[in-house]
Amino acid sequence: MKLVHLSDLHFPVALPFTSLKGKMIPGYLNYTFRRRKKYPISLWNAIVRKVKSLNPDAIVISGDITNVSHWKEYDESKKILEPVLGDKTFMIPGNHDRYTDIAAGKKGSDLPYFEKFFSSWMGESIPLKNGYLRIKKIGKLALVGWDSNMPLSVLNAYGYVGEEIVHSTLEYLEKEKLDEYILICHHPIWNPPERQESSGHKMKNREEIAELLKKRPPLAYLHGHVHTNWVKYPDPQKPYYVINSASSTRISDQRHQSGFHLMEWNQTELNIKRFSFSNEEGEFTETQTISYQEKETNGR
């Protein structure tokens, strides 16, 4: 089975400045003057070509389709994503997709914008008293989606996953006799020593969540949020791969080694390949995986 993991696409959608309110104004200004040129749509077109040539069994997108959760961003992003949307696609939201109360469905009775536009590719919603749990079954593998995002101040982008979500996930897997699963959540559960996150950016309770997952570890934890790629190999503290494919559509630089990953699973082992954009070829090509072994991380 082959899975492609994409994340933090941040499509370059121009917005009327007069339509922005509150937090969206500084957020969009930051995007326009600091980041927009780093996300040319040509990189997305190259991703589509490469993904089609890889012919994966599943395409996972771990959030941040938009920049400030504007309605127009969702409308345009759905059109841009159309070539990879289908039965094999599984998507979760990122913090930029829950940027405001309105977008996150916190005002009124409307659905969150992400669900309005992408519910067809978000998997089955598992009923819970509180929280978000979505699952998509592909062959003998279950893709499990969590939502670690919430509307915050412009200076914060931290995440949180309630412990009850972990318990509900493990109970559901046991009940449905789903032996193997991959967990998808936007915020990292681990960072390389040189890329540690501030308290305003990380998942607040990630060590508690990691401890609970030891009861029934996933094959891999896929995420985004930090815009450089890595793969952490299983260790005693986190006995599963941690794979970051952010930011798939960003031009790489000295601090951001961007791209996406292809995972090949033969039901006994997971083989991981990284693809990054080649300026010379104008295409995404296989390149060296940025990997962290247990001896390098000391179990952190």
Side-chain angles (χ1 to χ4, degrees):
M1 179 179 288
K2 296 191 295 184
L3 298 91
V4 163
H5 174 213
L6 309 172
S7 196
D8 295 66
L9 304 176
H10 291 295
F11 290 128
V13 177
L15 301 175
F17 193 77
T18 54
S19 69
L20 304 178
K21 297 179 180 179
K23 177 187 175 183
M24 298 171 76
I25 296 173
Y28 187 68
L29 288 174
N30 177 60
Y31 162 72
T32 300
F33 294 110
R34 292 186 57 197
R35 294 168 58 185
R36 186 171 182 178
K37 291 182 179 179
K38 299 173 183 177
Y39 287 87
I41 198 65
S42 58
L43 262 67
W44 171 249
N45 296 332
I47 285 178
V48 170
R49 292 192 295 271
K50 178 54 68 175
V51 169
K52 287 185 175 181
S53 73
L54 293 171
N55 191 28
D57 300 290
I59 300 171
V60 173
I61 304 174
S62 55
D64 275 5
I65 304 299
T66 66
N67 295 288
V68 295
S69 286
H70 192 285
W71 182 270
K72 184 180 178 182
E73 286 185 291
Y74 283 97
D75 191 42
E76 292 296 320
S77 294
K78 185 176 180 182
K79 297 173 186 175
I80 296 169
L81 281 165
E82 193 275 333
V84 301
L85 296 178
D87 293 341
K88 63 178 69 173
T89 310
F90 184 65
M91 304 171 62
I92 64 162
N95 63 294
H96 281 266
D97 305 318
R98 304 289 203 210
Y99 206 67
T100 64
D101 285 337
I102 293 176
K106 301 295 183 181
K107 288 187 175 181
S109 58
D110 271 357
L111 282 172
Y113 288 177
F114 200 89
E115 280 81 343
K116 280 188 175 183
F117 283 86
F118 299 119
S119 61
S120 297
W121 305 283
M122 294 174 69
E124 177 188 359
S125 179
I126 309 304
L128 301 173
K129 289 183 180 179
N130 294 296
Y132 174 113
L133 174 58
R134 289 183 176 257
I135 294 180
K136 187 180 186 76
K137 302 169 191 174
I138 297 182
K140 294 184 178 181
L141 191 64
L143 303 178
V144 177
W146 289 350
D147 183 0
S148 55
N149 315 285
M150 63 201 83
L152 297 167
S153 71
V154 73
L155 298 178
N156 287 298
Y158 59 80
Y160 182 85
V161 174
E163 291 187 8
E164 65 274 14
I165 300 299
V166 186
H167 295 304
S168 296
T169 298
L170 301 185
E171 289 169 6
Y172 182 87
L173 294 169
E174 183 71 24
K175 176 185 174 184
E176 297 296 318
K177 296 180 171 56
L178 298 171
D179 296 326
E180 302 288 359
Y181 75 104
I182 287 178
L183 184 57
I184 302 99
C185 183
H186 185 67
H187 286 81
I189 203 166
W190 174 92
N191 293 74
E194 72 274 14
R195 292 303 298 259
Q196 291 299 305
E197 294 180 279
S198 68
S199 61
H201 203 249
K202 69 190 297 184
M203 187 195 295
K204 291 286 190 181
N205 62 334
R206 68 185 194 177
E207 293 307 324
E208 291 85 350
I209 298 301
E211 188 66 26
L212 291 173
L213 284 175
K214 287 183 181 179
K215 297 176 183 178
R216 190 171 183 173
L219 287 171
Y221 179 102
L222 311 186
H223 69 90
H225 197 49
V226 180
H227 290 182
T228 193
N229 295 167
W230 63 66
V231 173
K232 185 198 78 66
Y233 283 72
D235 64 40
Q237 295 303 312
K238 297 177 179 63
Y240 41 84
Y241 291 90
V242 178
I243 302 172
N244 179 18
S245 285
S247 172
S248 302
T249 49
R250 181 178 181 136
I251 296 173
S252 294
D253 54 38
Q254 288 186 337
R255 185 160 172 78
H256 303 91
Q257 294 176 282
S258 303
F260 68 90
H261 293 92
L262 171 71
M263 285 151 275
E264 296 177 296
W265 180 58
N266 62 9
Q267 299 186 35
T268 58
E269 62 181 1
L270 198 64
N271 181 38
I272 305 165
K273 298 177 181 178
R274 175 174 171 250
F275 291 83
S276 62
F277 187 74
S278 167
N279 290 316
E280 293 76 17
E281 298 186 31
E283 300 290 349
F284 276 81
T285 59
E286 186 175 348
T287 189
Q288 183 177 1
T289 302
I290 304 168
S291 63
Y292 294 84
Q293 301 281 3
E294 179 183 351
K295 62 183 176 61
E296 295 173 307
T297 66
N298 296 319
R300 285 194 287 172

